[in-house]
Amino acid sequence: MAAIKVHGYHASMATVMVLCCLNEKEVEYELVLVDLPTGAHKKPEYLALNPFGVVPTIQDGDLTLYESRAIIRYLAKKFQGQGTNFLGSTLSEEALVYQWCEVEGQSFNPPALSIVSQIVFVPMRGGSTDEAAVEMNVEKLEKVLDIYEERLSKSKYLAGDFFSLADLQHLPCTHYLVNACGKGDLISSRKHVNAWWEDISSRPTWKINFT
């Protein structure tokens, strides 16, 4: 069987999340560099794979798939019998995994990504951080994390006592919040959220991308 091709960029958090998933599942892959700084993601060759011009995109046999959350869900199902079991062992556990995946996408990521964008990406492109927008989204994220604190006081991970796709999905944006935005207090000030973050961010399959 040919290795899965991952078209991505090593500094892209979405790419790193997919690579982390592949490593957790012990799946062979080939990273095909899409050089974002030179605009390779907007050139015809890449747009033929992903018309939205973002990374990553995978090729697995005849399947071409983009959107990192869709990719990791596909990998979790296809390779369910090997490596880390991201989906639990019962239908109820799988349902809770998907519930918390949706929470990440709908409640956590919007304010978290807005904070990261304002503090990291806007200045990188020559703009100025909108401090009011940062403050507003910090308030939103604090309310979300208070709910996480309650949840994580009852289970080690979001969907239960096993590391799942829901936890994996939080790695990229939270990494930026803690390490690039000076917002680590959002995590460290909450005992159970902090323990969860220390756990998931120390997984070797994640840390290997930053060594």
Side-chain angles (χ1 to χ4, degrees):
M1 181 185 296
I4 292 175
K5 288 186 178 181
V6 181
H7 300 264
Y9 186 66
H10 56 84
S12 152
M13 289 293 101
T15 300
V16 171
M17 180 173 73
V18 168
L19 298 183
C20 179
C21 180
L22 285 161
N23 287 323
E24 288 277 350
K25 297 302 289 181
E26 301 170 6
V27 174
E28 184 181 356
Y29 65 88
E30 174 191 355
L31 178 60
V32 181
L33 179 65
V34 180
D35 195 25
L36 301 188
T38 62
H41 56 307
K42 299 298 183 183
K43 293 180 179 175
E45 295 84 356
Y46 186 71
L47 292 173
L49 294 175
N50 183 340
F52 293 99
V54 294
V55 295
T57 299
I58 69 165
Q59 290 179 295
D60 183 19
D62 294 333
L63 175 68
T64 299
L65 189 64
Y66 46 81
E67 293 298 334
S68 57
R69 291 174 181 82
I71 293 170
I72 64 173
R73 187 172 294 197
Y74 165 74
L75 295 171
K77 292 290 280 188
K78 177 171 181 177
F79 300 103
Q80 196 160 0
Q82 68 185 73
T84 301
N85 180 2
F86 283 124
L87 301 174
S89 55
T90 67
L91 181 60
S92 295
E93 287 179 347
E94 186 171 342
L96 285 171
V97 172
Y98 292 147
Q99 171 187 279
W100 284 99
C101 284
E102 288 299 313
V103 170
E104 185 276 332
Q106 303 297 327
S107 298
F108 176 90
N109 193 64
L113 186 58
S114 293
I115 295 165
V116 172
S117 295
Q118 284 296 331
I119 295 177
V120 178
F121 300 129
V122 170
M124 195 181 291
R125 296 171 184 137
S128 299
T129 297
D130 183 338
E131 296 295 347
V134 172
E135 184 178 349
M136 178 183 70
N137 283 290
V138 165
E139 290 178 4
K140 289 180 181 179
L141 189 56
E142 285 182 324
K143 292 176 181 176
V144 174
L145 289 172
D146 285 343
I147 296 171
Y148 279 43
E149 180 69 5
E150 171 66 16
R151 170 60 178 169
L152 291 165
S153 72
K154 299 173 180 174
S155 64
K156 185 175 182 180
Y157 300 101
L158 287 171
D161 290 324
F162 59 97
F163 179 71
S164 76
L165 286 186
D167 306 296
L168 176 62
Q169 283 184 193
H170 285 79
L171 282 166
C173 217
T174 312
H175 175 88
Y176 265 113
L177 281 173
V178 171
N179 296 294
C181 295
K183 297 298 180 184
D185 59 301
L186 289 168
I187 304 299
S188 61
S189 63
R190 292 166 174 84
K191 176 183 176 182
H192 298 100
V193 171
N194 188 61
W196 166 75
W197 174 246
E198 290 294 324
D199 182 312
I200 67 172
S201 63
S202 65
R203 294 182 76 84
T205 54
W206 179 253
K207 290 177 68 177
I208 195 173
N209 298 287
F210 306 102
T211 56

